[in-house]
Amino acid sequence: MSEHRRKPPQPEGGGRAAARRAAQQRPGRGAGPARDVPTASASGPYAEPPGHGTRAGARRAAPRGSGGRGRAAGPAGRGPGRPDKRLINYPRSDKAGWQRFVPSWKLVCGTALGFFAIITAGAGIGIASVNTPDANKAAQAQNNVFFWEDGTQMVATGGSMNRQIVPIGRIPKSMQNAVIAAENESFETDKGVDPMGVARAVWNMAKGGSTQGGSTITQQYVKNTYLDSDQTLKRKVTELFISIKLGVSEEKDTILAGYLNTAYYGRDAYGIQAAARAYFGKDCVDLTPSESAFLASVLKGPNLYNPDGGIGAAATPEKNTERAKERWAWVLDREVAVKRMPKADRDQFKEFPKLVDSEQARGLSGQTGYLVDTAKKYVMKVTGITPDEMARGGYQIRTTFQKPRVDALAKAVEDTRNDFLDEKARPEYDTFVQFGAASVDVKTGAIVALYGGPGMDKKYFSNNADTLGVPVGSTWKPYVLAAAMQYGTQNSNGRGISADSKYNANDLTVINNRDGKPLRDASGKPFKQKNESTYPYGYVTLNEAMEKSINVPFAQLVFDVGHTKVREIAESTGILKDSMNPNNDASFALGTSTPSAIRMADSYATFAASGTHRDPFSVTRVEKDGKELPGFGAPKEQRAMDNAIADNVTKVLQNVVENGTGTKVRKLGFNRPAAGKTGTTDQNKSAWFVGYTPELSTSVALFRTDPNSADKKLISMNGVGGVDSIHGGDIPAAIWTEYMKEALKGTPVKEFPEADKIGVTADASGAPSPSPSFSPSPSPSMPSPSASSSPPVSPTPSKGGKPSCKPWELYCIPDTSGGTNSGSTNGGAGGSTGSPSPTPSGKPGRPGGTSWGTTVGTSG
C-alpha cells in the first residue's frame, strides 16, 4: 500500500471523544494558533470523517459546527456561531438560550431612530397638508328649523345674530386678558399645544373622567372650525396638526382674534361682537373689564353659564346665574393672580354686570319657546349631541305638536287666567300664579300640545309643562288602587282586590303598618290621617273613596299593598323614579311625588290604552345636511299592567267625573266618555286635574311660585281668585274641559272598553260584616245631614259679576268640594314594603284596548 494511502495516526485518547474534539477544533475566535494544532479537521483533502467514521457520526457532529451553538476550544470555553446573513439579526444567531431574544443596542437604537424618522415625516406631511382655519367661514352658524306635526314651519332659530368679524385692535385688552387668564395662561409662549395639558386630558379619559382640559386657545380656535365636533380620532389628529402649524406660523394676535371671533357665547351669538350686542347691547370695543370677565365666563359652557338658563335639569336660570356669578368673580381674581389686572382695579368690580333682555327669547314668543325647548331636549336625548352642538344649528326638526291643539290649550289657560285672576285688585294673592299643561295622544304617546307658561318673551323661562317639584296630590291615588288590583293586599291572600273592598274613611283614623301596629308621628304618638272633610264616612268602598277623594282609605291601602308595589306600577306607566317621594310614609299615597305635567298626561294614557304604555315623544324626524338622523321612530310599546286592571281603574275614574270631585267636566258640557282625577295638596300649594278620553290624555297643573326667587318655593293659593281655597276640580278641571272640547271637535265619539269583573273583595281589618253601616255620604245633589257640614249657599252675583258662592269650587258644601288634601307629610315611617306576589287576571291583555292601533313613541 502506498504511503499516501496510509491512515493518519489517531490522537491520544482515540475513540468517540477524540472524534468530537476533532470536529470542534476550527479556526476562528477563541481557538489557539492554527499552525500549532494537529491537523485533524475534516477539511483536509484526504481526511476521514470524525467519530466512528460513519455517516451518522458526521450528522451528529455537523450541527455543532455550523449552527452557532457549538462549543469553542480554548480557554474561553465558548465561541461565536457562523455569521448571520439576515438584514436584522433577530432572534440573535450568535447567542444561546434566552439571550437570543434580547435585542442588541444597535437594534434598539436603530429602531428608535427609524420610528422617530417616520413620526417626524408623518407629522411634517400632516402639518403641510392641513389648511389653516378661516374665521369668516367658522362663524357661519345655521338655523335650526322646527316644523309642526303637519309639516308646516313653526320657527327657525339661530343663524340670525350679527357675526361681524372684528380685528384684534377692536377687541378690548380687558377681554383679551380675561380669556387668556381663564383659558390658557401660557398662550403667549406655547407653540399651539400644551403637552402637559394633553397628558392630563388623556389621563382623565383613561380614568373615565372628563374629556376636557387639554386644549389651548389655539386648539379651541381650531375646534371651532369643525362645526360638527365629531369625537373621532381623525378629527382630533387633524386638529392637533393645525394647532401645531398655527403655533409656529401665525402671530398670537391673529390666533386670539380668530378664537374670540368664532367662539359660541350663547343667545345665538357667535363671536365677540355678536356676544357684546346680545348680552349688553353695545359694540365689543366698548366692553368694560367686568363685562369682559362675564363673557369669558360664558365661554366655559353657555348652556350652564348663560343666566337665561339652558337645557337640562342642571341648567335652570337660577343655577346658571349662580354659576355665572361665581365664574365671573373667579375670572377677575384670576386676572390679578396672573398679573393681567391690578388688584386696585379688581376691587372696583363688586356688582355683577347688568344684562339686556334676550333677543333670542323675544323671538320665541308665546308657547313657541317651550315647544322648541321640549323638542331640543328630545333630539339631544336621542342623538347624544351637546347643547352647544345643537346651538350651532343646521337641523331640520319635525315635531309632534299640532298647532290647532296648542292654540286651543293656550286659549283655555289664558281665558281662565283673565277671568279668574286680578293681579291689580289682589296683588297679595293673585301674583305668581302659574299654569302648566300637556296633552298626549293615547294611541301613540305623541305630545300634541303643551302650555309652559306666559312666554319666554315675558322673561318666564321655566317650562311648566316639564317642571318637576309640584306635588300632584290625589291624582296619585289611582296608582295605589291599580297596585292593589294587580298585587292584592295582605288581607287578600295574594289575590288582587276589587274596588268594592271596604276601608275605614273616618277623619283622623290611626294608620297601621304592615305588621298591624300604629304608625308614629314626630312626637311618638299614633299617627292619625286627616281628611279634607270631618264627615264621618265610616267604612266605604275604594270606588267611593276615589269618587270623593277621601284620604284615609288610601293612606291605609298603601301599607296593605306595599310602597314598592305602588312605585312599580307608577314607573311602569311612565312616571320617572326620581320624581317619586322616596319615603315609605302615609303621605306617599296622597301625592307628595312631583312628576311633570307631561309625565302625568302620558301615565294616565296607559289607563286609557288598557294597560299599554307608550313613552311620550315630541319629534318624529330630524335631518342634517340633507341626511335623516336615525333613532326617531316611535318607541316600542310596553305592557304596564293587565288590560282588565287598567279598564277597571278607568271605570273608577269615570265615576269620579260622573259623580265625584270631577263633575265640573260634566257641568261645563263635556259630553264624551271621560275619566279623570282631581288633586290638591297641603296648604293649597298646588291643584291638578288629570283626565282622558279614548283619544287624548291631558293634565293641568295650577301652583304659585315666584319665578325670580332663588328656591322657587311653592306659596299657598288660599285666597287666590278671591276664594278660600282652590281644588283640582275647580280651575284645572275647567281648563281641561275647555281645551278637550276644542281639541276633539269633529272627532268621532268612542267608548272605553268594557271593564271585566276582577279581584276579590278584601275589606280592611276591622270592617263590619256582612256590610258596614254608616250615614250616606254627601253628594253634589244631596247635602249631608251632618252638623259638621256647611249648609248650601245659593250663588249670588258679586262685584265683577262673579257669584259669591266660591265660583271655582265644585260645591258650596266644604265637605265635598272638589279635590283633596295630600295628607300630613309627617306621617310616620312605613313598615315593610313587601307584598304578596301578583296573580294573573286570566287574560293576556289587549294591546291598547279593543280598537286602538299599536303605533308608539318617547320623551319630549
Side-chain angles (χ1 to χ4, degrees), residues 792-807:
V793 179
S794 300
T796 57
S798 62
K799 292 181 180 180
K802 297 181 181 179
S804 62
C805 186
K806 301 180 181 180

Side-chain angles (χ1 to χ4, degrees), residues 180 184-195 216-218 247-248 250-253 255 340:
I180 293 174
N184 184 190
E185 178 188 351
S186 63
F187 168 71
E188 293 176 334
T189 58
D190 64 38
K191 299 301 181 183
V193 295
D194 178 7
T216 61
I217 286 177
T218 306
V248 298
E250 290 286 357
E251 295 291 334
K252 290 294 183 178
D253 281 353
I255 296 172
R340 289 186 174 271

Side-chain angles (χ1 to χ4, degrees), residues 24-35 37 71-80:
Q24 293 170 358
Q25 291 177 356
R26 298 175 179 275
R29 287 177 295 180
R35 300 182 182 226
V37 178
R71 292 185 177 93
R78 287 184 183 274

Side-chain angles (χ1 to χ4, degrees), residues 618-641:
S618 57
V619 175
T620 59
R621 182 183 179 91
V622 176
E623 291 184 5
K624 179 131 191 268
D625 299 328
K627 297 180 180 178
E628 183 176 354
L629 302 186
F632 290 95
K636 294 181 179 180
E637 64 182 31
Q638 295 178 330
R639 171 60 58 180
M641 65 189 74

Side-chain angles (χ1 to χ4, degrees), residues 442-445 572 606 609-615 617 633-640 845-849 852-858:
V442 168
K443 295 179 181 179
T444 64
S572 73
T606 305
S610 294
T612 298
H613 174 241
R614 298 166 172 89
D615 269 343
F617 69 109
K636 294 181 179 180
E637 64 182 31
Q638 295 178 330
R639 171 60 58 180
R846 295 188 296 272
W852 302 320
T854 56
T855 311
V856 290
T858 156

Side-chain angles (χ1 to χ4, degrees), residues 819-842:
T820 179
N821 189 302
S822 72
S824 172
T825 58
N826 64 354
S832 168
T833 58
S835 65
S837 300
T839 57
S841 67

Side-chain angles (χ1 to χ4, degrees), residues 146 427 459 611 649 722 724:
F146 294 82
K459 300 183 181 180
V649 171
D724 292 340

